[in-house]
Amino acid sequence: MISMSFKAAIVLALPIFAAAQTPDQRCADLTHVNAATFPNHTIVVTSAALKAASQAVTKPGGRGNVPALPQHCEVIGKLNERTGASSQQYAIKFHMRLPVAWNSKFFFEGGGGSNGNLGDAYGNLQGQQTTNALTLGYAVVSQDSGHDNSLNNDPTLNGAQTFGFDEQARLDFGYNSYDQVTQTAKALIKTYYGKAPERSYYVGCSEGGREAMMISQRFPDYYDGILACSPGFKLPKAAIAEAWDTQALAAVPKATSINDPNGEPFINKAFTDEDLTLVSRAVLDACDNLDGLADGIISNFAACKAALVHPKLAALTCKAENQAACLTAIQVTALEKVFAGPKNSKGEALYSDWTFDAGISNPGWRVWKLGMFNAPTNSSINALLGSAAISAVFTTPPTPVAATGPAPLKYLLDFNFDTEAPKIYAESGAFSKASWDFMRADSPNLAAFRKHGGKLLITHGVSDPIFSVNDTISWVNEVNKVNGGKASDFVRFFAVPGMTHCGGGPSTDRYDAFAALVSWVEKKAPPDSIVATAGLNTPWPGRTRPLCQYPAYPHYDAGSIEDASSFTCK
C-alpha cells in the first residue's frame, strides 16, 4: 500500500548506496533496500546482480536478435504480494536494468497481450529498431502487471486469463501496476545513481500502447514523452469486435460444413491465402491511385471508403461453380460485415469500422482474424486470446470458460451482442469497477499532461487487424477539437499504410519514432514526418517513405518512387 505521496517518497528514498565504491557493490546492495523509505512499503528486491557487457546475438532471419549490451545492474523485485481469489498467489513483479554508463533517463517498456510476463527490460524502441533503450544508456523497467501467466493459470478458469476472476488483479492490469512500478523504479534509480532521472519515457505497442495512452490520462505528471504504437485504448470494445469477426467469418465454413477436429466451424479455412491476395489486389485497384501514384501503398487511405471497394469485391464474386480466381458471395458478405464493425440488433455501433488496405493478404492480418490456413484446428488469436480475455477480464461478472478444446471458440460463436456486450460496463458483487472503467484510455481531456509539458506520439498500421486505425483517428480528431485545433502542440499521430499489428505487412514498418519523440521533448523539435523503410519481406525491400503527421499524407513530387526524398507531406 502507498503511505505517502510519490514526491515525498522519492525524497525519502535517499541515495544510501551511491557512495559505494564499485558498481558491483552498489548493485548487490539493492537487495537490502529499506522498504519503509520507498513509495510502496511492500517492495522486495529478490535479486540484483551486475551483468558484464555482452556481444550482439544474431539469429537466422533476424528474429530474436539482441544488440550488444552495456555493463548493467539487473534487478528483479516484487510489490503487493498477496493471496487472491481461488487461493491464487499474486504480486506485481518488475524487472530493471540499470546501465553503469547511464544517460540520466528512464524508460518504461510497455507490455503486450494480457501481460503476465516479466519482460526482458531491454527497452523495445518499437518501429523494428535494431537497438534498444538499454544500449542507448537508459535505465529500463518492464513488469508483469500483477499476474503471472505460469502461476495464475487455471485451465478451467480461462487459462492465462484466470486473473480476471480477481478484482485487484484486474485493477493492477488496467492501471494500478504501472503507477506502482513507475514510482518504485524511479526510487530505485535514485537509490542506485544518487539522483532522479532527468527525463522519463513510456513506450509500448498494442496493450503497451493502451498503457501508454492511459498513463497520459491517469498519471499525466509521470512521463515527459510517451510513444503509443497500435494502441488498444478501447480494449473491451475491440474484444467485442473479435467476437463479431469470428461469427461473421464462421459463416463461410458453416456454409460448406467444414469443421475442425472439435466439431466447430473451421474458420482457418474460410479464405485461402490466394483468396486474400485477390482481395488485396481488389483494394489496391480501388484505392491505390487515390494518392496520385500506383505504387502498392495506399497513402491516402482515409479516402479508401467501402463504397469504392464494394464494386471491386462484387466483381470478384464467382458467377459459376468451380470458377477459378473468385470469391463466393458468402465470403464477400463476411468480409464486408467484418469491415463494417460490430453492431447490436438496433444497428448501434459497438466498436469502430475498419479501413480496407493492402495488408489484408499478409499473414499478420490472417493470424488474428482467421488463423493460418494449414493449422490443424482453429487457431486465430481472436478465438484463443480474444475469447479468454473478453469472458474473464472484459465482461462482469467473469464467465468460466475452459482454456482448451472447443470452449473458447464456442463462447465467441454464442456471444450475444445485445445481452453480453453491455457487460463491459457492468459491476457485480466483488467486482466494483466495470472493465470499461479500469481499462479505458480514451479520454480526449489531456489538459494535465499538456500542462506538464508532456508529448504523446502515436503510430498505427492501417492494416492492423485487432485495433482499428479509424478508431485512433476518431480519438485524435476529438482531442484536436477539445484543444481548439492545436492538439499537435503535444499530440501527433502517424499512420503506416499496409502495416499490420505493431509491424509487418506490405509497408514501410521500420522507423525510429522514439528518436523523433526524444527530439520533440528535449530539443522542442516536433516531427512533421518520420522516414520509414520497407523490410526484406515486402514487395519493395529498402523502399523509403515519409510517414506524415495526420491528416497529411505523402505526395509524389519527382524522382525515384523508392526514395522518401521524392515525396512531400501535405
Side-chain angles (χ1 to χ4, degrees), residues 287-510:
C287 299
D288 196 4
N289 269 316
L290 295 175
D291 54 21
L293 184 66
D295 59 350
I297 296 178
I298 304 173
S299 295
N300 188 11
F301 64 89
C304 188
K305 304 296 186 183
L308 293 177
V309 177
H310 177 76
K312 301 297 182 180
L313 294 179
L316 280 178
T317 305
C318 302
K319 304 300 188 293
E321 290 187 19
N322 301 320
Q323 181 181 342
C326 64
L327 301 177
T328 66
I330 293 174
Q331 286 178 309
V332 172
T333 297
L335 276 181
E336 293 187 332
K337 187 174 182 179
V338 166
F339 277 80
K343 297 176 177 62
N344 60 22
S345 62
K346 297 179 181 178
E348 297 168 333
L350 301 176
Y351 182 56
S352 175
D353 60 356
W354 306 77
T355 293
F356 280 98
D357 193 32
I360 192 172
S361 62
N362 188 265
W365 190 91
R366 77 168 297 144
V367 72
W368 281 91
K369 304 279 194 186
L370 298 160
M372 304 312 289
F373 186 79
N374 290 324
T377 189
N378 272 292
S379 63
S380 72
I381 300 177
N382 281 1
L384 300 178
L385 174 62
S387 174
I390 192 171
S391 58
V393 184
F394 301 143
T395 51
T396 302
T399 302
V401 176
T404 58
L409 181 60
K410 185 177 188 304
Y411 175 84
L412 293 184
L413 293 176
D414 292 343
F415 192 86
N416 186 301
F417 298 95
D418 290 335
T419 60
E420 296 299 311
K423 291 181 180 179
I424 68 171
Y425 306 109
E427 300 171 359
S428 176
F431 301 96
S432 60
K433 291 185 182 293
S435 70
W436 183 244
D437 293 330
F438 67 76
M439 288 298 297
R440 69 185 304 178
D442 68 329
S443 173
N445 182 3
L446 275 68
F449 183 67
R450 182 177 190 174
K451 183 178 180 181
H452 170 64
K455 308 301 180 187
L456 172 60
L457 196 156
I458 304 170
T459 68
H460 202 153
V462 179
S463 288
D464 191 324
I466 183 61
F467 303 129
S468 172
V469 72
N470 289 351
D471 201 31
T472 300
I473 290 171
S474 294
W475 180 83
V476 170
N477 289 338
E478 184 63 21
V479 173
N480 199 41
K481 180 180 177 182
V482 169
N483 287 275
K486 296 183 178 180
S488 63
D489 289 347
F490 66 103
V491 177
R492 296 202 170 200
F493 170 60
F494 298 82
V496 189
M499 190 175 84
T500 54
H501 189 55
C502 294
S507 65
T508 54
D509 69 342
R510 284 147 172 75

Side-chain angles (χ1 to χ4, degrees), residues 106-107 125-126 129 133 136 138 201-203 225 227 457 511-519 530:
F106 169 51
F107 186 107
L125 304 179
Q126 300 301 325
Q129 295 303 289
L136 295 177
Y138 288 80
Y201 295 90
Y202 199 107
V203 176
L227 175 57
L457 196 156
Y511 53 86
D512 197 349
F514 181 67
L517 175 65
V518 171
S519 182
I530 301 171

